[in-house]
């Protein structure tokens, strides 16, 4: 492989070499690249959630239930589907008698209201005439025994009636104020709901465009990974080839070390042999001289106890003859320049080169990566037209404009509604205040009347209180007659509107009859057919759509767009992936020149192989090595002679023995010991060569064969890995586009354009109209009507009771009682002193 000196110099400059720590990845599968990352797509569907409205539970709920029960009694007829159908399709053909038949309950109530409207003014006029003649509401002419009982009964009924009026007017005040407070938020909620619906329609094209734009996310991910595809492929090659290459390099390095050791031992063996021969040549004369002198001394008659030393002196001669060892000169000649190569540096360099394979692969694939990026940067045609071909794309602008017009036109109308509501609220407050005034007059009359009755002992005060009580009751009666006409008109008008809203709209809306009516074919005119307005191939069920929208379904599900829109056609990116695959197949990484063994190293191994190192006769060396340098132990002999010199009687003999002992010790230190060390050194070299030489030839042959085989095999395996990794890379990158298409499929069919705002607007509309407006409205007229009709017993009981509060002017028929004689003067009788 080309060394790329600049790159390798930079890598070596790091001080670490280049040793890439790669995770073990098998040759099969795509584990080297790892699993594809999970792309995080930004939600294209905008959060549109119509907050549900609900009336908080309160003390008026039982009143609302009572009013609804009353209205259900008034309107016993079912939902008039045929009548409304005729009204919507042919308004001119609607018959009045059919309308009156459906509104029979309201007609009866209208008759009752009409009778009340005629009776009360007439009764009031007659009452005024009678009062002018003092014929009605006068005083009791005569006191009788049952008068107290009658007065108590009338006062009790008047008090009960007044309390009923008080409860009614207080409830009317509360419901009037409650409805007035609810009208403002309810009116403001209408444009809000319309705005939400307009957002639902108008934002669908924008959301689809946002979905198409997020194709850039997998594009950017693929482009980012393309920057490292060459390095990734190089890492895969490194990971899958490293065991083979590292094993081969380890074998080469081990063999190189063995070669170096063998050559060093061989050279050491030769040098040691020469030294031993030279030392042997110098040691032999010295030993011979000492032997002759010792024999002469020890064999003398004057030597005492010298027999043992004499025997040892006979063997004082060379043991091993190193001139007899085999010659290794011819082998050394063949290994003269070995090793020529530095195996450690060579293996280190090859290791760095192999570890730099990811970087070298990235450099070699740079041009192809640029071409791949051009392919990836293209936009599939189907995604560009996805939004424009969506079925509601054209209808979205029309519906958005229509809802905007409705919203703008609703604001002035709602302002007018709020203005008239204020007028109604003021009228209600005034009428309730007048009814409250009647209640106050009745209560004051009762209180003053009872006070007057309890103070009959004082006639002057009793008459004044009773007269005031009667007048308060008469004032209440007058207000009742004056209030009757506006009260009944307000009650009936609000009853007619609120009752029909509750029975005709709210009940059918809540029960679902209204949705069933809309879903029935032919009930609505063609201009109101929602399926035709949306351009759908199937008729749309409003009830089913409402239920689906309430569960959070999207327009895709509700409008059944899978019949009119082929989403898969727009998500087909097969042509896009084919181009990418075609370009990936052009990737190439050149590993033809990967060198595991340099030419110099090969020559070294071949020289060692043909050197004949294994043919050296190593047993010849061992035979001489096993022999002692000197047959006799020189050191012990010197010690024995030293001892003999001390025991001799002849001083001259002792001195000579002592001199010989010192000479032998010097010889042992200077000649024998160095020879012994050289023999030990020779033994190490011989043992090492004898044990390694037989196996070294087979190792050299195996390494050379392995390197030669890998020279042709590595490029083939590298090409296979390149193809496999390219396919894995393509599968990985395609998984990003698959994630995108799956996300688009889910986003379009399950999230974009959720129609919950539609069901929320319908539910909120029902709550606003029925719970927040109609219920307080109906409760108001119900309480006001309650007070209106209870004015009649209030008038009757007030007129009757007032008679018993006025003072009685006529004397009673019996004059015998002193208590009834107003002008009785008691007779004066004489006093006894």
């Amino acid at each position: 492989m080309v060394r790329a000196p600049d790159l390798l110099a930079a890598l070596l400059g790091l001080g670490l070499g280049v040793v890439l720590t790669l995770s073990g990845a098998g040759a099969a599968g795509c584990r080297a690249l790892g699993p594809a990352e999970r792309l995080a797509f930004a939600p294209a569907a905008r959060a549109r959630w119509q907050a549900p409205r609900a009336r908080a539970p309160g003390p008026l709920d039982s009143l609302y239930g009572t009013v609804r029960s009353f209205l259900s009694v008034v309107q016993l007829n079912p939902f008039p589907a045929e009548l409304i159908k005729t009204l919507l399709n042919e308004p001119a053909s609607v018959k009045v008698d059919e309308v009156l038949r459906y509104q029979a309950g309201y007609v009866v109530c209208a008759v009752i209201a009409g009778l009340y409207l005629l009776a009360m003014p007439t009764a009031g006029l007659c009452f005024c005439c009678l009062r002018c003649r003092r014929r009605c509401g006068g005083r009791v002419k005569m006191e009788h025994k049952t008068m107290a009982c009658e007065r108590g009964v009338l006062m009790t009924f008047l008090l009960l009636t007044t309390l009923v009026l008080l409860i009614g007017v207080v409830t009317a005040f509360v419901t009037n104020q409650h409805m007035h407070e609810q009208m403002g938020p309810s009116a403001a909620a209408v444009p809000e709901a319309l705005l939400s619906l307009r957002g639902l329609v108008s934002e669908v094209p924008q959301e689809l465009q946002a979905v198409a734009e997020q194709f850039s996310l997998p594009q950017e991910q693929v482009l980012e990974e393309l920057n490292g595809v060459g390095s990734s492929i190089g890492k895969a090659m490194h990971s899958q080839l490293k065991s083979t290459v590292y094993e081969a390099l380890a074998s080469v390095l081990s063999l190189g070390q063995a070669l170096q050791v063998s050559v060093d031992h061989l050279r050491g063996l030769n040098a040691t042999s020469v030294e031993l021969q030279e030392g042997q040549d110098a040691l032999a004369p010295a030993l011979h001289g000492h032997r002759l002198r010792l024999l002469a001394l020890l064999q003398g008659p004057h030597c005492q106890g010298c027999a043992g030393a004499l025997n040892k002196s006979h063997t004082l001669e060379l043991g091993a003859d190193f001139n007899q060892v085999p010659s290794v000169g011819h082998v050394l000649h063949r290994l003269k320049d070995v090793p020529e190569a530095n195996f450690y540096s060579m293996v280190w360099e090859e290791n760095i080169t192999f570890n730099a394979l990811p970087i070298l692969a990235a450099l070699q694939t740079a041009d192809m990566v640029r071409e791949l990026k051009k392919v990836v940067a293209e936009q599939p045609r189907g995604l560009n037209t996805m939004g424009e071909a969506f079925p509601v794309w054209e209808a979205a602008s029309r519906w958005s404009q229509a809802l905007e017009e409705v919203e703008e036109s609703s604001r002035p109308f709602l302002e007018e509604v709020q203005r008239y509501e204020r007028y109604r609220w003021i009228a209600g407050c005034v009428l309730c205040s007048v009814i409250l005034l009647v209640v106050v007059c009745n209560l004051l009359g009762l209180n003053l009347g009872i006070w007057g009755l309890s103070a009959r002992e004082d006639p002057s005060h009793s008459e004044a209180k009773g007269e005031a009580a009667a007048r308060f009751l008469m004032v209440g009666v007058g207000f009742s007659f004056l209030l009757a006409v506006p009260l009944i008109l307000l009650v009936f008008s609000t009853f007619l509107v609120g009752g029909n809203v509750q029975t005709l709209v709210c009940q059918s809306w809540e029960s679902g009859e209204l949705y069933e009516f809309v879903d029935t074919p032919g009930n609505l005119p063609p201009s109101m057919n929602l399926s035709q307005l949306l351009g759908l191939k199937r008729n749309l069920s409003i009830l089913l759509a409402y239920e689906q929208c309430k569960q959070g379904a999207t327009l895709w599900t509700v409008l059944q767009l899978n019949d009119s829109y082929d989403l898969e056609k727009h998500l087909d990116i097969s042509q896009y992936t084919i181009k990418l695959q075609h370009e990936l197949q052009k990737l190439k990484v050149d590993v033809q020149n990967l060198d595991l063994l340099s030419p110099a190293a090969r020559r070294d191994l071949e020289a060692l192989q043909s050197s004949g190192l294994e043919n050296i006769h190593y047993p010849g060396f061992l035979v001489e090595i096993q022999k002692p340098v000197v047959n006799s132990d020189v050191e012990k002999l010197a010690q024995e002679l030293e001892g003999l010199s001390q025991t001799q009687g002849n001083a001259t003999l002792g001195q000579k023995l002592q001199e010989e002992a010192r000479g032998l010790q010097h010889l042992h230190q200077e000649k024998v010991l160095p020879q012994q060390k050289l023999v030990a050194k020779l033994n190490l070299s011989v043992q090492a060569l004898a044990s390694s030489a037989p196996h070294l030839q087979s190792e050299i042959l195996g390494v050379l064969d392995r390197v030669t085989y890998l020279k042709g095999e590595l490029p083939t395996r590298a090409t296979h890995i390149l193809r496999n990794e390219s396919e894995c890379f393509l599968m990985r990158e395609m998984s990003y586009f698959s994630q995108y298409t799956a996300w688009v499929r889910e986003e379009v069919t399950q999230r974009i354009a959720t129609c919950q705002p539609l069901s929320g607007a319908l539910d909120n509309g029902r709550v606003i109209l029925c719970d927040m407006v109609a219920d307080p409205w109906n409760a108001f007229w119900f309480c006001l009507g309650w007070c209106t009709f209870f004015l009649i017993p209030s008038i009757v009981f007030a007129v009757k009771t007032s008679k018993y509060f006025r003072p009685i002017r006529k004397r009673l028929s019996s004059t015998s009682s002193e208590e009834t004689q107003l002008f009785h003067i008691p007779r004066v009788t004489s006093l006894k002193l």
Side-chain angles (χ1 to χ4, degrees), residues 235-406:
K235 288 178 182 179
M237 289 182 177
H238 182 279
S239 177
Q240 297 182 37
L241 295 176
K242 67 178 182 180
S243 60
T244 302
V245 173
Y246 285 167
E247 182 182 354
L249 290 176
S251 301
V252 170
L253 180 60
S254 176
L255 191 57
Q257 293 173 345
L259 182 148
Q260 183 69 50
V261 170
S262 298
V263 171
D264 290 343
H265 277 299
L266 184 62
R267 288 172 179 168
L269 180 148
N270 184 62
T272 304
S273 297
V274 172
E275 290 181 14
L276 285 171
Q277 291 171 4
E278 292 176 352
Q280 175 181 294
D281 292 341
L283 180 61
L287 288 174
H288 183 70
H290 280 288
R291 180 171 176 273
L292 292 177
R293 287 192 295 272
L294 287 174
L295 289 175
L297 291 173
L298 295 174
Q299 290 177 354
H302 301 289
C303 188
Q304 300 176 1
C306 299
L310 180 62
N311 292 332
K312 293 179 181 178
S313 297
H314 283 291
T315 59
L316 190 63
E317 58 185 5
L318 292 176
D321 186 4
F322 291 100
N323 291 320
Q324 303 299 322
V325 297
S327 175
V328 294
H330 63 286
V331 178
L332 280 175
H333 179 72
R334 293 173 185 171
L335 298 175
K336 179 180 180 180
D337 296 325
V338 175
E340 181 183 352
N342 187 335
F343 278 82
Y344 181 80
S345 298
M346 179 200 69
V347 171
W348 174 251
E349 185 178 354
E350 291 295 330
N351 189 46
I352 289 178
T353 303
F354 177 68
N355 287 335
L357 185 59
I359 300 175
L360 298 176
L363 294 176
Q364 293 180 15
T365 58
D367 294 336
M368 292 308 305
V369 167
R370 281 192 290 270
E371 296 298 324
L372 282 169
K373 287 183 176 181
K374 292 179 182 179
V375 175
V376 173
E378 297 177 0
Q379 184 87 356
R381 290 193 300 267
L383 293 176
N384 293 330
T385 59
M386 181 176 65
E388 298 175 1
F390 204 69
V392 297
W393 182 281
E394 297 180 357
S397 59
R398 297 198 308 270
W399 279 88
S400 178
Q401 184 178 0
L403 288 171
E404 184 177 2
E405 292 176 357
V406 171

Side-chain angles (χ1 to χ4, degrees), residues 421-443:
E421 161 58 22
R422 182 171 180 81
Y423 295 156
R424 185 211 59 77
W425 175 72
I426 293 173
C429 289
V430 169
L431 292 176
C432 289
S433 299
V434 176
I435 296 175
L436 186 59
L437 185 58
V438 172
V439 171
V440 170
C441 289
N442 287 349
L443 291 176

Side-chain angles (χ1 to χ4, degrees), residues 99-364:
V99 177
L100 294 177
R101 191 179 302 113
Y102 172 71
Q103 299 280 13
Y106 292 95
V107 172
V108 172
C109 292
V111 171
I112 295 173
L115 293 176
Y116 186 93
L117 188 62
L118 292 175
M120 287 300 287
T122 303
L125 184 61
C126 295
F127 180 74
C128 290
C129 294
L130 293 174
R131 281 294 296 157
C132 291
R133 295 186 179 184
R134 300 182 181 274
R135 298 290 301 273
C136 186
R139 63 183 75 239
V140 178
K141 303 296 183 179
M142 183 181 300
E143 187 174 2
H144 48 84
K145 295 180 180 180
T146 61
M147 186 177 68
C149 181
E150 292 176 359
R151 182 174 57 223
V153 171
L154 290 173
M155 290 171 59
T156 301
F157 278 110
L158 179 59
L159 179 61
L160 292 176
T161 304
T162 304
L163 292 177
V164 171
L165 284 174
L166 179 61
I167 295 172
V169 75
V170 169
T171 310
F173 264 122
V174 172
T175 54
N176 187 47
Q177 184 64 28
H178 185 65
M179 184 178 65
H180 183 66
E181 292 174 354
Q182 291 290 338
M183 186 59 70
S186 300
V190 174
E192 180 183 344
L194 292 174
L195 181 63
S196 178
L197 292 177
R198 185 156 63 92
L200 169 65
V201 175
S202 63
E203 291 176 359
V204 171
Q206 301 174 13
E207 293 176 355
L208 291 173
Q209 186 63 29
V211 167
E213 289 174 355
Q214 292 205 47
F215 183 73
S216 62
L217 197 59
Q219 275 184 322
E220 292 172 358
Q221 183 68 26
V222 173
L223 289 173
E224 181 181 352
E225 294 190 359
L226 276 173
N227 292 329
V229 64
S231 176
S232 177
I233 292 175
K235 288 178 182 179
M237 289 182 177
H238 182 279
S239 177
Q240 297 182 37
L241 295 176
K242 67 178 182 180
S243 60
T244 302
V245 173
Y246 285 167
E247 182 182 354
L249 290 176
S251 301
V252 170
L253 180 60
S254 176
L255 191 57
Q257 293 173 345
L259 182 148
Q260 183 69 50
V261 170
S262 298
V263 171
D264 290 343
H265 277 299
L266 184 62
R267 288 172 179 168
L269 180 148
N270 184 62
T272 304
S273 297
V274 172
E275 290 181 14
L276 285 171
Q277 291 171 4
E278 292 176 352
Q280 175 181 294
D281 292 341
L283 180 61
L287 288 174
H288 183 70
H290 280 288
R291 180 171 176 273
L292 292 177
R293 287 192 295 272
L294 287 174
L295 289 175
L297 291 173
L298 295 174
Q299 290 177 354
H302 301 289
C303 188
Q304 300 176 1
C306 299
L310 180 62
N311 292 332
K312 293 179 181 178
S313 297
H314 283 291
T315 59
L316 190 63
E317 58 185 5
L318 292 176
D321 186 4
F322 291 100
N323 291 320
Q324 303 299 322
V325 297
S327 175
V328 294
H330 63 286
V331 178
L332 280 175
H333 179 72
R334 293 173 185 171
L335 298 175
K336 179 180 180 180
D337 296 325
V338 175
E340 181 183 352
N342 187 335
F343 278 82
Y344 181 80
S345 298
M346 179 200 69
V347 171
W348 174 251
E349 185 178 354
E350 291 295 330
N351 189 46
I352 289 178
T353 303
F354 177 68
N355 287 335
L357 185 59
I359 300 175
L360 298 176
L363 294 176
Q364 293 180 15

Side-chain angles (χ1 to χ4, degrees), residues 76-92:
L76 299 174
N77 295 316
F79 181 74
E82 292 298 326
L83 181 60
I84 297 178
K85 176 182 177 181
T86 305
L87 182 64
L88 292 175
N89 292 278
E90 299 176 2

Side-chain angles (χ1 to χ4, degrees), residues 151 155 448-457 462 804-805:
R151 182 174 57 223
M155 290 171 59
L448 289 174
I450 294 171
W451 190 14
L453 292 174
S454 64
R456 282 291 174 91
E457 290 82 4
S462 175
Y804 292 95
F805 288 159

